[in-house]
Amino acid sequence: MTYVIYCLVFIFYCIGVVHPINEKCSSDNDCSKDKSFCIDDVCQCDRLSIYSKNIKQCWNYATEYAADCFEPEQCTEFLGEHGNCINNKCLCDDGYKWLGGSCISYVGKNESCSENVSCLDANDPLALTCIDGVCQCRAGYYDRGMDCRIQSEYQKECAINKDCFPTSNSVYSYCKLGKCTKDSTFKSDIEENVTISNSLLYFNEDNTDDCSQGILSNFTKEDCSKCSKHLYFRDSICICRPGYFLQDGECIPELGMSDSYKHYTEDSDCPIKPSKLSNGICYCKNYWFQHYTNRECKKTTLQYTYNCMDNDWCKAMGPYAYCDSNTKQCKCIDQAVLNSDTFLCEIPGERNLTGICLEDTDCSLYQKCLNQECQCENEFSQMDNTCLPKIGGSCEIFNCSHIENAECISNQTCQCKSSAYVTDGYRCLEKSTHLNDECSIEEQCQDIPHSSCISSSNGSSYCTCQNNYLDKNGTCYLKREYKSQCASRLDCTILLGDSFVCRNSLCQCPVYYTYKDDVCVRSSSSKILALYFMLWALVFVILM
Ligand SMILES: *[C@@H]1O[C@H](CO)[C@@H](O)[C@H](O)[C@H]1NC(C)=O
Ligand SMILES: *[C@@H]1O[C@H](CO)[C@@H](O)[C@H](O)[C@H]1NC(C)=O
Ligand SMILES: *[C@@H]1O[C@H](CO)[C@@H](O)[C@H](O)[C@H]1NC(C)=O
Ligand SMILES: *[C@@H]1O[C@H](CO)[C@@H](O)[C@H](O)[C@H]1NC(C)=O
Ligand SMILES: *[C@@H]1O[C@H](CO)[C@@H](O)[C@H](O)[C@H]1NC(C)=O
Ligand SMILES: *[C@@H]1O[C@H](CO)[C@@H](O)[C@H](O)[C@H]1NC(C)=O
Ligand SMILES: *[C@@H]1O[C@H](CO)[C@@H](O)[C@H](O)[C@H]1NC(C)=O
Ligand SMILES: *[C@@H]1O[C@H](CO)[C@@H](O)[C@H](O)[C@H]1NC(C)=O
Ligand SMILES: *[C@@H]1O[C@H](CO)[C@@H](O)[C@H](O)[C@H]1NC(C)=O
């Protein structure tokens, strides 16, 4: 009855299967538009999601640090009260840092600290300590001004020259290729490629945690609560507890978090590489940087090379450095200058960071910080200030309607509607079927052998035979000339004409024929006879 009245009032809801939140429904299908579910005959978000006014759909509560978000409420469930949605990522509020499974209040170098406010350098959580109420360098670290770095010595590892301390006053050492070296003529025995993969290695223990078996999301509430690293989230689903993250089906502790199940005794026990153990807790190996997610150790650039793969490497030059993506070299941002003594990028005078980014967390959804600018990630492209999916990109949040002939398929990626279409990543266009069909992208000509999408003199582009191929009867054939190589007679006749044959693997005239004016003509018999007699005359002369 109510449904009928409902239909009378909102006719289009009954004919189109498009029901927004809070409206009547008969199945989840009716609610798919805003990713809600049909619960008690009404479209609503389930226990694991929350309605976002920003994107007009239900969106999941974060179940890990740095998850995508639109509303702060999506973050606070997992991150706690100091969690927030910043630039579409669940991060901690200003003045708080994610460590050990919560957003902890912290202060930086030179600031005043107490038992309630810890000293922290997010790139190296071991660097600072609270001495006399002020954050200072921990023992074994030296003061570089802006930060504290591990002190090294002759023949030990380093990243910048200042890391190397002389063993005696008479020895000057500097950092060459990751090792403190005496002088420029010193031959370093350290290999240039100290590549250690970031892949996760597991050590085998006889008593495997029962909790690491099976698919986490299938755990019952009882199974889940038995496991020390797990959490039964919103009374609905088993996830990794804050401070742990899911990797290959197992919950592993983030950097700076102690493992509640396994006791680590060596650096190699750490699941994240390359790391070192300190008081049974894993941190990144000396001079490597802890990624903001606490799930990865990032390599450092060297003062000797300036090499980098991404911005994180350049943190050796302080916060005002970035990795130039063209040269793969660390540089100071435009307003900063390099202090050659400390290897720090310093901003003389007032800093103004408007319009530039220093880290990926400065950028919004589906963006990364590249060359001081927020740019769309590879599978997305910029449209009206938003990064929308290209073909192959995720349509979890944005649908694919901005690409004609594309749709959001079941694995949540944008794909062309059928195999009749081809794509350059940005568009879905029909495949060309005939030579000289108009085209816009190279991919359209892929079914026509030896053709390419080539622009013609009148401005349009067509599927045209490639260089060295000629269009004959709608097909591209390899160009042949008189005496070109051939495999069959057709090779020769198709372009040169029926008078040619393939003889000794060359396009030439049949015997008794000669090449004349681009065709093969029969040699006149008189000429052959004359030749015959001349030959005999020659033989006769020689024999005499
Ligand atoms: C630390 O916090 C506790 C409880 O919030 C408070 O009682 C204590 O005074 C604080 N200590 C300092 C040094 O602020
Ligand atoms: C801390 O103080 C030292 C010495 O006064 C100064 O060189 C350095 O720049 C300060 N560091 C920060 C992060 O302000
Ligand atoms: C570095 O690694 C690359 C690829 O593995 C190798 O080709 C190159 O020779 C190595 N360079 C040195 C100095 O070992
Ligand atoms: C997990 O649960 C789903 C749905 O209940 C079921 O289809 C699947 O087989 C389960 N997987 C395992 C490994 O138990
Ligand atoms: C900072 O830089 C931006 C853009 O370069 C400029 O528009 C703005 O006025 C500057 N702000 C200050 C305080 O100088
Ligand atoms: C796709 O997204 C656009 C913009 O958000 C929206 O107007 C449109 O209704 C959506 N289409 C579908 C089929 O959900
Ligand atoms: C999604 O499915 C398409 C088509 O089946 C496939 O080409 C693509 O690789 C899949 N993408 C992902 C991320 O699984
Ligand atoms: C452009 O030239 C091609 C031949 O090169 C012709 O087939 C086509 O009709 C022309 N198009 C326009 C718009 O003039
Ligand atoms: C040219 O094409 C037509 C139609 O596709 C075909 O019937 C004919 O046999 C072709 N001629 C040659 C010489 O291939």
Side-chain angles (χ1 to χ4, degrees), residues 113-117:
C113 45
S114 71
E115 53 181 295
N116 293 342
V117 186

Side-chain angles (χ1 to χ4, degrees), residues 15 17 78 140 153 198 464 512:
I15 45 178
V17 271
F78 186 83
E153 59 189 49
N198 280 342
T464 313
Y512 302 132

Side-chain angles (χ1 to χ4, degrees), residues 59-76:
W59 190 243
N60 285 342
Y61 282 102
T63 54
E64 60 175 26
Y65 182 71
D68 291 342
C69 60
F70 292 92
E71 314 287 338
E73 294 74 32
Q74 292 171 266
C75 306
T76 44

Side-chain angles (χ1 to χ4, degrees), residues 458-470:
N458 63 19
S460 305
S461 297
Y462 302 89
C463 290
T464 313
C465 290
Q466 292 160 0
N467 261 347
N468 284 325
Y469 287 85
L470 282 178

Side-chain angles (χ1 to χ4, degrees), residues 69-310:
C69 60
F70 292 92
E71 314 287 338
E73 294 74 32
Q74 292 171 266
C75 306
T76 44
E77 281 290 308
F78 186 83
L79 274 67
E81 58 169 332
H82 297 295
N84 203 345
C85 184
I86 300 167
N87 293 329
N88 297 111
K89 282 190 193 74
C90 285
L91 305 173
C92 297
D93 278 325
D94 236 18
Y96 292 84
K97 161 75 187 152
W98 184 250
L99 200 63
S102 67
C103 290
I104 61 160
S105 162
Y106 81 100
V107 289
K109 188 166 172 279
N110 292 3
E111 293 188 87
S112 52
C113 45
S114 71
E115 53 181 295
N116 293 342
V117 186
S118 8
C119 296
L120 186 67
D121 174 344
N123 297 325
D124 181 359
L126 295 175
L128 300 176
T129 186
C130 192
I131 304 171
D132 301 332
V134 178
C135 290
Q136 302 180 32
C137 298
R138 187 182 293 272
Y141 283 73
Y142 72 94
D143 190 335
R144 185 168 62 147
M146 235 184 260
D147 57 11
C148 300
R149 293 178 61 85
I150 294 170
Q151 200 166 322
S152 186
E153 59 189 49
Y154 179 51
Q155 291 199 324
K156 296 268 171 64
E157 64 193 346
C158 57
I160 72 171
N161 294 341
K162 258 197 144 10
D163 296 340
C164 300
F165 280 71
T167 41
S168 78
N169 288 340
S170 59
V171 179
Y172 169 76
S173 69
Y174 76 110
C175 188
K176 181 183 183 185
L177 298 177
K179 194 167 184 179
C180 291
T181 303
K182 226 187 304 194
D183 60 59
S184 55
T185 54
F186 184 90
K187 283 251 187 315
S188 170
D189 58 358
I190 193 163
E191 64 279 30
E192 199 162 332
N193 292 330
V194 206
T195 46
I196 303 159
S197 95
N198 280 342
S199 70
L200 301 162
L201 304 172
Y202 294 99
F203 50 100
N204 278 327
E205 263 183 19
D206 293 340
N207 59 336
T208 46
D209 193 340
D210 274 347
C211 299
S212 64
Q213 309 298 310
I215 295 172
L216 205 58
S217 53
N218 276 17
F219 278 41
T220 64
K221 185 175 185 173
E222 289 66 38
D223 290 343
C224 190
S225 39
K226 269 186 249 157
C227 305
S228 58
K229 300 186 211 170
H230 298 177
L231 172 71
Y232 204 62
F233 187 66
R234 290 190 61 77
D235 213 21
S236 308
I237 191 176
C238 193
I239 63 166
C240 295
R241 182 177 288 284
Y244 297 86
F245 66 103
L246 195 63
Q247 184 92 57
D248 299 330
E250 207 181 327
C251 294
I252 65 167
E254 294 171 350
L255 293 158
M257 174 80 184
S258 66
D259 194 318
S260 60
Y261 183 76
K262 286 166 185 163
H263 179 62
Y264 299 157
T265 55
E266 286 172 51
D267 292 352
S268 59
D269 292 343
C270 291
I272 298 170
K273 312 280 177 196
S275 45
K276 66 177 179 200
L277 210 55
S278 172
N279 290 326
I281 298 176
C282 299
Y283 296 91
C284 292
K285 181 182 138 98
N286 288 359
Y287 302 118
W288 290 57
F289 302 107
Q290 184 164 323
H291 189 251
Y292 78 92
T293 57
N294 300 346
R295 290 178 211 138
E296 216 185 316
C297 291
K298 300 299 301 251
K299 202 173 175 171
T300 177
T301 189
L302 301 177
Q303 190 168 1
Y304 196 73
T305 64
Y306 287 66
N307 286 348
C308 57
M309 291 302 286
D310 59 46

Side-chain angles (χ1 to χ4, degrees), residues 388-409:
L388 296 178
K390 299 199 289 195
I391 295 300
S394 165
C395 44
E396 260 188 293
I397 293 166
F398 304 112
N399 64 37
C400 311
S401 62
H402 56 286
I403 306 174
E404 224 177 304
N405 303 316
E407 61 187 355
C408 186
I409 66 163

